[in-house]
Amino acid sequence: MRLLATAPLLLASAPVALAQNIALLTQLLQALGNSGHTRLVGLASQINSTSVGQTILNQLSSGTSFILFAPTDSALESLSSNITSNVNELADVFAYHVVQGNFTDISTTYPNTTLGRTLLNDSSHVQLEGNKSQVVAWALRADGKVHVLNQRNDSTVVNTTSVGNITINTVDHVLNFPESLYVTVPADNVSLTGIETALLSVQLPTQDASSNQTSTASLFDILNSQLHGFTFFAPNTSAIQSATSSLTNLQSNTTLLQALFQNHLINGTTAYSPQLSGTNFTSAAGEPLSFVLNATGHFVTSGNVTAQIVQPDVLLPNGVLHVIDRVLLNTQTDAGAASSAASSASSVATQATSATAPIGFSATATLVGPGGSAPAASASSSGTSGSNAAAGGYYAAPSVAQLVSIGAAVLGVVVGGGMVLA
């Protein structure tokens, strides 16, 4: 059998790296082979020639809890040659299919989602705050199947088994890494048709720290590549259309237009939907963002406008989008609160974090509150207001005089680099 030929070679090639629990790894490989995942077993053998691959297999053999999203052999056959010919890319692909933590009895029905942090931490694919690894999101959908979200090929779990503390979820497609904003927005041509034009219209001053030269960049470009860690509440196509008159009136007032879109943004923090309940955040404009989760849905409030999150957890390499059904027409700002929140986020980014459990909580366990209506505009979730959690490359929005920022050339690699919006 192919498995019997591959497993000994794999184990013999890195005895030190895999010394923690060779028996468990052998058991895992045999279970994969017996369930028809012979290509995945072969892939494990290939990546064991890389440091990333050895680390992955070492962790899988440690006896701690993981979920392995295991593509079928037919799914792995679809991998492009530029991946199969590059063992380091193969290691990254494998890493994105391994989720850390114990997810026993965790089940969410969309639009509530379950998120776990994977082992993918290659900076060419992940630029989250604090050098965090990328996440994967999944949920039970109306067809009764568990779907992995944010996948161009709709990937579903077709079988589940376990080996020791490793849960094996067989999936019918290889999971794709989260793609850039440039790629994601056109791909979601139902919900996000209008947001690209809106974000391109917001021009912001930047300064390159290496050359000390100032320039301007659109908010779309900034979100695409110049921030490490952010959360953006993206109005969907119908929301943009409904707010056309208000947005047109703001075109002549750059300051107010900037403030409006800053109030859709959490600066320096990637906050996934299960984290948007039981706590408040401060927007990049310094205004409170409050959240309510109840039997009618998940809602965000800024100023006197409440919107429903209709498509949560659109993952990006450097942050996350949540699609909402209204434009948050709030042009108020608080420079002091914005600066304080950004500083707090930057500080938290340097702290070590654990990734051994579902991110946030099981959202379905918190469906409380009045049914049949959205929360009032003044409603807020309990928690510490004005404190944004983890952070990394971020921008701050104080006064025009405080234009001290890091431009695209260096923002992506400097933790705590700031882009100031005047």
Side-chain angles (χ1 to χ4, degrees), residues 93-175:
V93 168
F94 200 109
Y96 191 58
H97 289 71
V98 181
V99 178
Q100 307 171 71
N102 186 344
F103 290 76
T104 303
D105 298 328
I106 298 296
S107 177
T108 50
T109 300
Y110 195 83
N112 301 304
T113 65
T114 300
L115 296 103
R117 206 163 292 276
T118 72
L119 298 185
L120 178 64
N121 196 27
D122 184 341
S123 61
S124 63
H125 299 298
V126 190
Q127 302 91 41
L128 295 172
E129 66 274 21
N131 296 319
K132 289 182 173 64
S133 298
Q134 188 53 272
V135 306
V136 66
W138 65 96
L140 184 70
R141 305 209 70 150
D143 60 3
K145 299 178 181 179
V146 173
H147 292 247
V148 182
L149 308 179
N150 302 288
Q151 299 296 309
R152 292 201 179 196
N153 294 318
D154 189 21
S155 186
T156 60
V157 176
V158 297
N159 186 57
T160 298
T161 187
S162 62
V163 176
N165 289 331
I166 300 173
T167 299
I168 302 173
N169 285 339
T170 299
V171 287
D172 55 4
H173 291 90
V174 176
L175 304 186

